[in-house]
């Protein structure tokens, strides 16, 4: 006979909006979430004088759930407090790496909801890298935590299609919803099997694509790549954190440059022999040369300005064809 919801004590761990969807799915469907663990409040504002709670903390407090915010996951006081909740299962969504003393604590273990089809895209930014690499399918995976990052035994997987014109925000929203449903179904599987959940080892004989953390320099555009590669790169980082390049102006013989953020491009299929980064204006449209084709820039942001359409940008920027985009090479 399988367990009932009230009999399975769950500790949930997560931080951003992506994790809230899974926590909400459990709480609002009557699962017994006994405590929530999230990151410490983050200093924001000009002088860091204001502390901002995580999205998970805000939701948990609104639902009257106990919230733990350890600075260090190995802190003895935190570990003892966590143990006092006597959890049968821990659920992790978009959180930090856990030490063994934490993930091995519950009698049914700890499972993670990962926004990729493992073993592909292990790491901190799986959604971005799937789009950057031009994948047409990604998905979500639940797996049991073990000693290494994102390598544990797989419990469930669900696929999610990536349209060619989708940016990372579309994929994020889709995987957030899919992640919530697979989270709930995995908990149901734990209850149905009294903790003896069927799982399988991740395959080892495949060529892996990883998903390392995204930094500012990661987002710099290399125009000497094929147009499709640049197109996927831009949508894989849009709207956040956004790709960028340097707009170089040297028409009067005095070189100067400024940062230009690029949020959206469009493929043209038009062959190009100009040097990568060369700009071409056609009425209210802006094109840039890549390694093989002209790529149209349709949404961008100049330094000190708001995000805008290319038509609005060109309306306030004269002599743009005397400029070029930096031919940066990674």
């Amino acid at each position: 006979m399988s367990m009932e919801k009230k009999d399975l004590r769950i500790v949930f761990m997560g931080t951003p909006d992506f994790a809230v969807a899974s926590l909400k799915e459990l709480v609002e469907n009557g699962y017994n979430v006994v405590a929530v663990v999230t990151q410490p409040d983050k200093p924001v504002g000009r002088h860091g004088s204001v502390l901002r709670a995580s999205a998970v903390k805000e939701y948990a407090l609104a639902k009257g759930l106990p919230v733990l915010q350890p600075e260090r996951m190995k802190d003895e006081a935190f570990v003892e407090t966590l143990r006092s909740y006597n959890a049968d299962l821990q659920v992790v969504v978009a959180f930090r790496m856990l030490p063994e003393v934490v993930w091995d604590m519950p009698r049914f273990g700890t499972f993670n909801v990962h926004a990729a089809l493992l073993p592909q895209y292990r790491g901190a930014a799986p959604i971005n890298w799937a789009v950057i690499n031009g994948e047409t399918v990604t998905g979500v995976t639940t797996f049991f935590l073990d000693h290494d990052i994102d390598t544990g035994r797989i419990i469930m997987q669900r696929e999610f299609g990536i349209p060619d014109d989708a940016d990372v925000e579309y994929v994020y929203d889709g995987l957030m919803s899919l992640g919530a449903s697979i989270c709930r179904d995995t908990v149901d599987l734990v209850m149905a099997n009294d903790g003896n959940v069927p799982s399988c080892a991740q395959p080892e004989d495949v060529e892996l694509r990883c998903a390392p953390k995204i930094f500012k320099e990661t987002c710099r555009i290399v125009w000497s790549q094929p147009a499709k590669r640049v197109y996927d790169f831009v949508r894989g980082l849009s709207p956040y954190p956004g790709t960028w390049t340097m707009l170089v102006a040297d028409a009067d013989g005095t070189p100067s440059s400024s940062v230009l953020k690029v949020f959206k491009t469009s493929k043209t299929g038009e062959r190009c022999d100009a040097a990568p980064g060369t700009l071409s204006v056609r009425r209210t449209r802006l094109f840039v040369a890549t390694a093989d084709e002209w790529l149209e820039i349709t949404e961008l942001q100049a330094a000190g300005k708001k995000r805008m359409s290319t038509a609005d940008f060109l309306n306030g920027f004269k002599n743009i064809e005397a400029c070029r985009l930096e031919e940066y090479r990674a």
Side-chain angles (χ1 to χ4, degrees):
M1 184 176 177
S2 62
M3 304 175 67
E4 295 184 11
K5 292 178 181 178
K6 65 180 177 60
D7 298 324
L8 185 73
R9 296 175 62 82
I10 300 170
V11 166
F12 185 92
M13 301 184 180
T15 296
D17 285 325
F18 191 92
V20 173
S22 292
L23 177 58
K24 184 177 180 180
E25 183 75 13
L26 297 178
V27 171
E28 297 189 6
N29 284 285
Y31 294 83
N32 187 18
V33 178
V34 296
V36 169
V37 182
T38 190
Q39 295 277 49
D41 294 355
K42 186 177 181 180
V44 295
R46 193 166 189 177
H47 303 290
S49 56
V50 178
L51 292 178
R52 177 180 295 166
S54 73
V56 162
K57 179 181 178 179
E58 289 181 348
Y59 178 82
L61 292 179
K63 294 298 178 179
L65 297 172
V67 175
L68 306 179
Q69 296 179 272
E71 291 282 351
R72 296 186 308 109
M73 298 300 291
K74 290 183 179 180
D75 180 78
E76 290 184 13
F78 163 70
V79 171
E80 286 308 308
T81 301
L82 183 63
R83 187 172 282 115
S84 72
Y85 285 101
N86 196 28
D88 301 300
L89 177 72
Q90 289 175 159
V91 177
V92 179
V93 185
F95 195 50
R96 59 206 284 188
M97 187 175 179
L98 303 182
E100 183 174 0
V101 68
V102 172
W103 60 254
D104 194 43
M105 189 181 296
R107 61 179 179 135
F108 295 154
T110 301
F111 78 78
N112 181 280
V113 178
H114 187 73
L117 298 174
L118 292 173
Q120 298 299 346
Y121 297 105
R122 293 170 177 162
I127 305 176
N128 298 98
W129 286 106
V131 181
I132 288 170
N133 288 333
E135 302 286 3
T136 57
V137 177
T138 185
V140 289
T141 302
T142 52
F143 68 97
F144 284 115
L145 293 189
D146 63 11
H147 292 93
D148 297 313
I149 297 176
D150 300 336
T151 60
R153 294 181 65 84
I154 291 173
I155 307 167
M156 288 184 178
Q157 290 190 316
R158 302 248 169 92
E159 292 188 349
F160 181 83
I162 306 177
D164 184 63
D165 61 349
D167 62 17
V168 77
E169 184 174 44
Y170 171 89
V171 183
Y172 182 98
D173 290 345
L175 293 184
M176 181 168 60
S177 177
L178 194 61
S181 67
I182 200 174
C183 177
R184 178 181 176 179
D185 290 346
T186 302
V187 173
D188 285 345
L189 192 64
V190 171
M191 292 192 301
N193 290 272
D194 289 322
N196 298 311
V197 179
S199 61
C200 63
Q202 295 188 30
E204 298 180 355
D205 56 346
V206 293
E207 184 176 344
L208 296 179
R209 286 188 164 182
C210 296
K213 188 175 181 180
I214 302 289
F215 297 97
K216 181 182 177 181
E217 198 61 28
T218 313
C219 304
R220 197 169 186 174
I221 301 173
V222 178
W223 297 108
S224 57
Q225 299 180 105
K228 174 67 164 66
R229 185 80 180 137
V230 178
Y231 170 79
D232 290 337
F233 184 71
V234 171
R235 66 193 183 98
L237 293 164
S238 180
Y240 182 81
T243 60
W244 61 280
T245 186
M246 298 302 295
L247 179 66
V248 181
D250 51 11
D252 61 355
T254 306
S256 62
S257 61
S258 61
V259 174
L260 192 70
K261 298 194 81 169
V262 179
F263 291 100
K264 194 171 184 179
T265 63
S266 179
K267 292 176 290 183
T268 67
E270 181 185 344
R271 296 293 301 177
C272 172
D273 294 323
T278 300
L279 293 172
S280 173
V281 177
R282 306 173 196 177
R283 298 176 66 87
T284 59
R285 300 169 68 184
L286 180 64
F287 299 80
V288 58
T290 68
D292 57 354
E293 298 175 0
W294 289 101
L295 191 68
E296 183 176 5
I297 298 175
T298 57
E299 289 186 33
L300 69 170
Q301 181 179 354
K305 303 289 185 180
K306 294 180 179 180
R307 178 176 173 174
M308 65 184 72
S309 68
T310 297
D312 288 341
F313 171 78
L314 292 175
N315 191 46
F317 196 110
K318 306 305 178 185
N319 206 29
I320 185 68
E321 285 192 293
C323 304
R324 58 186 167 83
L325 299 182
E326 177 192 35
E327 194 176 340
Y328 168 73
R329 295 179 183 274

